[in-house]
């Protein structure tokens, strides 16, 4: 085994070029990394959600779900594992979009393995991003760190799904959030049930965060989605 200082750091490699993925896994394993491989975006997203990794190396061009979508969905799900995206050669727009969707670093193909190793080690040393602070919409406080909600000084008990829907709305106060966006953030990419389930959870949220306080902060925008406002 190599003399790498990061022993048994666990890395997820999402790369559809199987030969390249195998070569990278072999090289990283020799440096003391434990490496899981996913060959498409859907598998990569599932593995990232099911396991704790020290870093994710994520190709942009992937079958089934591209790297940008994988990165965005992980961040929307509050997964702050450091992500290095592998972009096209001289692809400045790829690099910009990689950072915009929540990646922490990028490396253009073709790349030197020595550079990959150095950048990956630096990325792991920096660690994941800090968890976001509590979100405040008027006197409604939604805290993703503790999974709690309160209006003023009153704590409001929510189910995990209710919290997920409310958190997705609170991240964009005053904006219309579609049913599709709420499903993607509060359920998962593979959900194929009835989209009207969102209406059930929105109704439940209104009964908890609005009705007892005489508010109408969670409104329906017909044909478009839902909006959470500071309060009326």
């Amino acid at each position: 085994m190599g003399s790498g200082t990061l022993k048994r750091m666990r890395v997820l490699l999402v790369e559809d070029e199987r030969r390249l993925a195998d070569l990278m896994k072999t090289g990283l394993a020799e440096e003391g990394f434990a490496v899981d491989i996913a060959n498409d975006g859907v598998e990569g997203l599932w593995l990232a959600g099911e396991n704790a990794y020290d870093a994710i190396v994520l190709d942009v061009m992937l079958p089934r779900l591209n790297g940008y979508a994988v990165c965005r969905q992980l961040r929307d799900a509050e997964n702050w594992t450091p992500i290095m995206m592998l972009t096209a050669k001289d692809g400045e727009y790829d690099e910009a979009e990689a950072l915009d969707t929540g990646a922490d670093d990028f490396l253009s193909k073709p790349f030197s393995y020595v550079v990959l190793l150095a950048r990956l080690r630096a990325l792991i040393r920096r660690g994941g991003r800090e968890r976001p602070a509590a979100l405040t919409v008027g006197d409604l406080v939604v805290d993703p760190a503790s999974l709690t909600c309160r209006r003023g000084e009153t704590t409001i008990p929510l189910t995990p799904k209710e919290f997920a829907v409310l958190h997705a709305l609170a991240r964009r106060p005053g904006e219309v959030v579609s049913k599709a966006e709420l499903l993607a953030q509060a359920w998962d990419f593979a959900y194929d049930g009835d989209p009207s389930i969102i209406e059930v959870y929105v109704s439940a949220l209104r009964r908890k965060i609005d009705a007892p306080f005489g508010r109408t902060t969670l409104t329906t925008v017909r044909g478009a989605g839902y909006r959470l406002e500071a309060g009326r």
Side-chain angles (χ1 to χ4, degrees):
M1 184 173 291
S3 57
T5 57
L6 294 176
K7 300 298 183 182
R8 307 315 297 168
M9 287 291 170
R10 192 174 186 189
V11 173
L12 173 62
L13 173 59
V14 190
E15 171 60 68
D16 64 318
E17 295 181 38
R18 293 176 185 270
R19 182 172 177 274
L20 175 60
D22 288 342
L23 287 171
M24 291 172 65
K25 178 175 181 176
T26 298
L28 290 171
E30 289 176 352
E31 295 295 329
F33 291 87
V35 182
D36 291 337
I37 293 178
N39 294 124
D40 65 63
V42 171
E43 183 186 11
L45 184 59
W46 183 82
L47 283 172
E50 291 293 312
N51 302 287
Y53 292 101
D54 296 288
I56 298 171
V57 179
L58 178 64
D59 191 23
V60 168
M61 301 301 294
L62 293 167
R64 301 180 71 193
L65 194 67
N66 68 39
Y68 302 133
V70 172
C71 186
R72 185 179 296 110
Q73 290 191 37
L74 286 173
R75 296 315 190 215
D76 285 344
E78 307 295 332
N79 184 323
W80 304 109
T81 303
I83 294 175
M84 176 185 292
M85 294 193 76
L86 305 179
T87 65
K89 182 181 180 181
D90 299 326
E92 63 181 78
Y93 293 106
D94 285 353
E95 294 165 0
E97 188 164 358
L99 297 176
D100 286 344
T101 55
D104 300 277
D105 198 1
F106 57 84
L107 193 59
S108 297
K109 290 182 175 180
F111 51 80
S112 158
Y113 174 72
V114 173
V115 173
L116 169 69
L117 186 59
R119 297 273 283 272
L120 186 57
R121 284 176 165 159
L123 185 62
I124 292 175
R125 280 197 300 270
R126 291 201 302 269
R129 304 178 181 193
E130 291 185 8
R131 290 189 60 115
L135 303 175
T136 302
V137 185
D139 63 348
L140 183 71
V141 179
V142 181
D143 188 349
S146 61
L147 297 179
T148 58
C149 170
R150 70 178 189 275
R151 189 176 286 287
E153 298 301 316
T154 303
T155 298
I156 304 171
L158 300 176
T159 68
K161 260 323 178 240
E162 289 169 350
F163 184 89
V165 172
L166 181 60
H167 182 248
L169 291 162
R171 292 180 64 201
R172 295 167 56 184
E175 297 181 25
V176 177
V177 184
S178 70
K179 282 185 180 179
E181 291 173 304
L182 290 173
L183 282 171
Q185 294 183 45
W187 274 257
D188 62 39
F189 66 93
Y191 179 77
D192 60 357
D194 187 349
S196 64
I197 189 68
I198 290 293
E199 297 168 16
V200 175
Y201 283 91
V202 167
S203 294
L205 283 170
R206 286 180 177 138
R207 289 194 297 271
K208 291 184 176 184
I209 70 170
D210 277 349
F213 305 92
R215 306 291 184 86
T216 55
T217 62
L218 179 48
T219 58
T220 300
V221 180
R222 191 170 298 278
Y226 303 94
R227 179 191 292 122
L228 181 66
E229 300 177 281
R232 291 183 297 180

